[in-house]
Amino acid sequence: MPAKMRRWSSIVALAIALQSLWVPTSNGAHAQGDSRTFPETGKTLSGLFLSYWDSHGGLAQQGYPISEEMQETSDTDGKTYTVQYLERAVFEAHPEKQPPYNVLLSLLGVSFYAQKYPNGAPGQTVDSAPDTVSFNETGKHLGGVFRAYWDAHGGLAQQGFPISEEFSEKSDTDGNTYTVQYFERAVFEYHPENQAPNDVLLSLLGTFRYEARYGALHTNKLSASQRLDLLDSVWTMVRDDYIYRDFRGLDWQAVHDEYTAKINAATDDQAVYDLVAEMIDKLNDGHSAFLNPEEVAEDDALRNGDLTISGIGVLSQEISSTVRIVFVIPGGPADKAGLRAFDTIQAVNGVPLLHNADAPYLIRGPPGTSVTLTIESPGKAPRDVVVVRDRVTFAFHATAKRWPGTNVAVLDLPTFNVPGIADEAANALESLAATGPLDGVIIDLRQNGGGLISELNSMLGLFIDGGNAGYDVTLQGQRANTIPGGQLVDAVKDKPVVVLTSGGSESASERFAAVMQDYGRATILGTRTAGNTETVYEHDMPYGTRLALAQATYLRIDDQSSIEDKGVTPDIVLDVPWYAAPPDQDPQILAAVQHILQK
């Protein structure tokens, strides 16, 4: 039976979902097949527009979708077309035309140039590159990097004719001055500080046009009554179902009154979402959380292994007003730049980073662009690290390898929050055993923040042939968790096991360590776990939001002992900075190998 979750941020930046034990009570939907939902904006591209976006530069050129498809009357010919707004463009569907003209970009360049420069832009110069060409249709020229970009990104069909020469223009977005050139359907900006092919970017004409025509992007969708309905729905569920009946020392009715006044004074929907999240954070149980619609989309994508974001490729967590990296995507930009788990991000481009929620807005950006992070590694002075952003997919898998020079398997289990990860672990161990016998297994849970109860129990079944996995205590009574029988991995069923733990081992990973310890099936090595083991039930709430609520506590198999706020104490305490060592010199893994070989 599933269960969830604390909150990571994926800094790729930063997705949601610090895992823990969770139970979904309803299924959230997100786009599949020939459609794609973007957590960054909550909008979906599909069909013809998605195909066009994929084949014409994607995120780097078109940007994120900022609207859904809609019907709009063209300012050019007065006809009505199906359109969709993106940050840097507006797509128009023309089913009456043959590809590549069945999707066209609106004439935003013409419109904005006429508004901004009715007498023509000052300081225009013709590019002196040898490949410069002249267009009789407009009398303008195109050459150098802008011609190379025009040729590679649809040319006349997509960008249209140039309607100006190159000139310098101050950006309405960041206030910097760039060399630009206007085209019928776009404005090219030259960014020599970026790596190709992102040294030419399109101005945010789609964003400007959308806001001019329809108002700010974050226009309010919730009426005053809907805002209060959302607050009341979330507050009532906590009142009725929260496991701690004293609400952890809060006067819950007074909290309702306090936040009703704050919601009434909120200026926009985002402020409402932030206030409801703040209310849930007051419970301070380390598990319960409120997710706004954008976070829901991102959380669903992360859990299904199809969250792809342009950024640096880490997951982070806020601890005592610091943002700490808890997981680095192998091979991602952060990994290539030398960032590691337990590093803290103190600043982004010189701006102090105090809250995890701010990380996505400061760190994300188009592929090929760079961001400067002020990083403090444990025991070292802060340093600036330049990271080149790229597209990163957040997918987590169980992997096993043979420790060099031994027959000891090291099973890396980064999460229990992926359906089927226990089967992955079994397959990884069996595949490794097929290459030669194994003397034992080290299971690394040091960065495992928890996840699904079903996967936890299935993982236990790989090493314990059925039995009791402890008890969930809910408002309705006590329920036993059961380890399935008949699932042992034969290659290691009689072999010694060491489980590595740290303060980053939370919830489901703590329960795994506790049960393995209680059965005497494993030696626990490392440092004490987090002591955060409630079971969290996940509820879809009104208006696309979600509440993850702690609704059960946990007792070990003796039906008496709790590890909440205590954690699991290792059999062998080895408190060393393992995260600062090269992977092949990890002192805790080396100690675990020696322990197994001495058995």
Side-chain angles (χ1 to χ4, degrees):
M1 136 188 330
K4 196 174 178 168
M5 80 181 227
R6 282 193 69 196
R7 300 172 70 180
W8 274 349
S9 247
S10 77
I11 291 182
V12 246
L14 285 113
I16 309 274
L18 246 161
Q19 316 146 8
S20 286
L21 288 159
W22 65 275
V23 178
T25 57
S26 58
N27 294 321
H30 69 284
Q32 301 181 26
D34 65 342
S35 65
R36 177 177 170 188
T37 297
F38 292 79
E40 295 82 357
T41 60
K43 306 304 180 183
T44 299
L45 280 173
S46 61
L48 193 63
F49 286 165
L50 176 60
S51 176
Y52 185 88
W53 186 89
D54 282 334
S55 60
H56 290 83
L59 180 63
Q61 186 175 8
Q62 311 297 348
Y64 295 109
I66 58 176
S67 79
E68 304 295 356
E69 293 183 11
M70 64 177 79
Q71 298 295 303
E72 185 177 81
T73 301
S74 170
D75 293 335
T76 305
D77 61 14
K79 295 180 180 179
T80 299
Y81 298 101
T82 297
V83 304
Q84 185 162 10
Y85 280 73
L86 293 93
E87 290 177 300
R88 304 180 187 279
V90 179
F91 291 2
E92 285 183 0
H94 288 263
E96 75 281 6
K97 298 181 183 294
Q98 295 296 315
Y101 298 97
N102 55 342
V103 174
L104 296 176
L105 303 189
S106 294
L107 296 173
L108 297 186
V110 172
S111 174
F112 277 89
Y113 190 74
Q115 292 175 23
K116 204 165 190 177
Y117 305 106
N119 299 315
Q124 299 185 47
T125 59
V126 176
D127 196 295
S128 60
D131 65 345
T132 297
V133 295
S134 175
F135 290 85
N136 294 330
E137 293 82 356
T138 60
K140 303 303 178 184
H141 301 79
L142 179 60
V145 294
F146 285 166
R147 180 178 177 186
Y149 187 88
W150 189 87
D151 286 338
H153 292 85
L156 184 62
Q158 184 174 8
Q159 313 298 348
F161 293 109
I163 58 175
S164 80
E165 305 292 359
E166 295 179 11
F167 62 97
S168 295
E169 181 181 74
K170 187 175 181 180
S171 170
D172 294 330
T173 305
D174 61 16
N176 294 326
T177 299
Y178 299 102
T179 297
V180 304
Q181 185 167 8
Y182 277 68
F183 295 78
E184 290 179 298
R185 304 179 188 279
V187 178
F188 291 5
E189 285 183 356
Y190 180 48
H191 289 257
E193 74 279 9
N194 293 344
Q195 295 181 2
N198 300 292
D199 52 348
V200 175
L201 297 176
L202 303 188
S203 295
L204 298 175
L205 295 189
T207 300
F208 300 151
R209 170 65 173 267
Y210 186 90
E211 292 186 339
R213 179 168 281 202
Y214 298 108
L217 282 176
H218 299 294
T219 50
N220 299 328
K221 298 179 181 178
L222 301 180
S223 66
S225 63
Q226 287 174 325
R227 293 178 177 187
L228 291 175
D229 176 52
L230 175 61
L231 171 69
D232 288 344
S233 297
V234 173
W235 181 88
T236 300
M237 181 158 287
V238 176
R239 181 198 66 188
D240 294 345
D241 296 330
Y242 190 49
I243 186 60
Y244 299 113
R245 300 317 296 156
D246 65 349
F247 303 99
R248 296 179 62 85
L250 296 174
D251 181 336
W252 198 237
Q253 182 60 53
V255 169
H256 179 274
D257 297 342
E258 174 189 355
Y259 279 88
T260 297
K262 289 182 175 180
I263 293 292
N264 281 329
T267 57
D268 54 44
D269 289 354
Q270 187 58 52
V272 172
Y273 297 140
D274 290 345
L275 285 167
V276 177
E278 179 182 285
M279 180 181 74
I280 297 302
D281 288 345
K282 278 183 172 289
L283 295 170
N284 196 32
D285 59 36
H287 271 120
S288 299
F290 172 81
L291 279 69
N292 64 41
E294 180 179 336
E295 292 170 332
V296 169
E298 195 160 286
D299 189 51
D300 287 344
L302 179 63
R303 187 184 315 160
N304 287 283
D306 56 10
L307 176 64
T308 300
I309 299 176
S310 176
I312 68 170
V314 306
L315 298 178
S316 69
Q317 179 182 0
E318 184 177 326
I319 301 175
S320 302
S321 295
T322 64
V323 176
R324 186 182 74 178
I325 295 173
V326 295
F327 192 84
V328 179
I329 298 297
D335 186 28
K336 294 175 182 177
L339 274 58
R340 297 291 178 260
F342 295 91
D343 286 348
T344 60
I345 305 174
Q346 297 186 336
V348 182
N349 291 330
V351 178
L353 181 61
L354 301 179
H355 301 292
N356 211 26
D358 296 331
Y361 308 103
L362 293 174
I363 297 177
R364 289 179 181 172
T369 61
S370 62
V371 59
T372 300
L373 307 178
T374 302
I375 299 293
E376 184 175 2
S377 299
K380 298 182 180 180
R383 67 192 190 279
D384 284 344
V385 179
V386 177
V387 184
V388 178
R389 301 178 179 101
D390 202 351
R391 294 190 64 74
V392 182
T393 298
F394 282 74
F396 300 97
H397 300 283
T399 59
K401 64 180 179 181
R402 194 180 303 268
W403 190 254
T406 75
N407 287 323
V408 176
V410 179
L411 176 64
D412 183 30
L413 194 66
T415 182
F416 285 103
N417 203 32
V418 174
I421 200 164
D423 288 339
E424 279 192 4
N427 292 335
L429 289 173
E430 289 168 349
S431 296
L432 195 62
T435 67
L438 299 176
D439 294 331
V441 181
I442 299 168
I443 304 173
D444 191 350
L445 301 180
R446 292 175 295 182
Q447 298 179 69
N448 187 314
L452 300 164
I453 291 180
S454 57
E455 295 302 320
L456 160 65
N457 292 336
S458 293
M459 185 67 67
L460 287 167
L462 305 184
F463 302 96
I464 300 169
D465 193 14
N468 179 9
Y471 301 88
D472 274 358
V473 181
T474 72
L475 296 180
Q476 290 72 41
Q478 186 169 290
R479 181 181 65 249
N481 293 296
T482 302
I483 304 170
Q487 295 186 7
L488 292 176
V489 177
D490 289 337
V492 296
K493 67 179 180 181
D494 297 320
K495 305 298 183 182
V497 177
V498 174
V499 175
L500 301 181
T501 61
S502 75
S505 307
E506 297 193 53
S507 200
S509 61
E510 296 184 81
R511 293 197 190 188
F512 181 86
V515 175
M516 293 288 278
Q517 188 179 57
D518 289 345
Y519 276 86
R521 183 63 187 91
T523 299
I524 314 302
L525 187 151
T527 56
R528 186 169 61 86
T529 65
N532 193 8
T533 59
E534 297 104 340
T535 301
V536 175
Y537 286 68
E538 189 176 67
H539 305 273
D540 285 347
M541 302 303 290
Y543 318 116
T545 64
R546 185 172 292 164
L547 175 65
L549 186 64
Q551 293 181 229
T553 56
Y554 175 71
L555 294 177
R556 298 179 77 154
I557 65 173
D558 64 3
D559 196 15
Q560 296 180 353
S561 302
S562 171
I563 54 177
E564 189 67 29
D565 297 325
K566 302 174 185 176
V568 176
T569 300
D571 302 298
I572 302 174
V573 176
L574 185 58
D575 190 357
V576 293
W578 57 272
Y579 39 80
D584 61 348
Q585 299 175 33
D586 187 317
Q588 291 183 343
I589 292 183
L590 290 172
V593 169
Q594 287 303 116
H595 181 79
I596 287 173
L597 295 180
Q598 291 170 2
K599 286 287 187 177

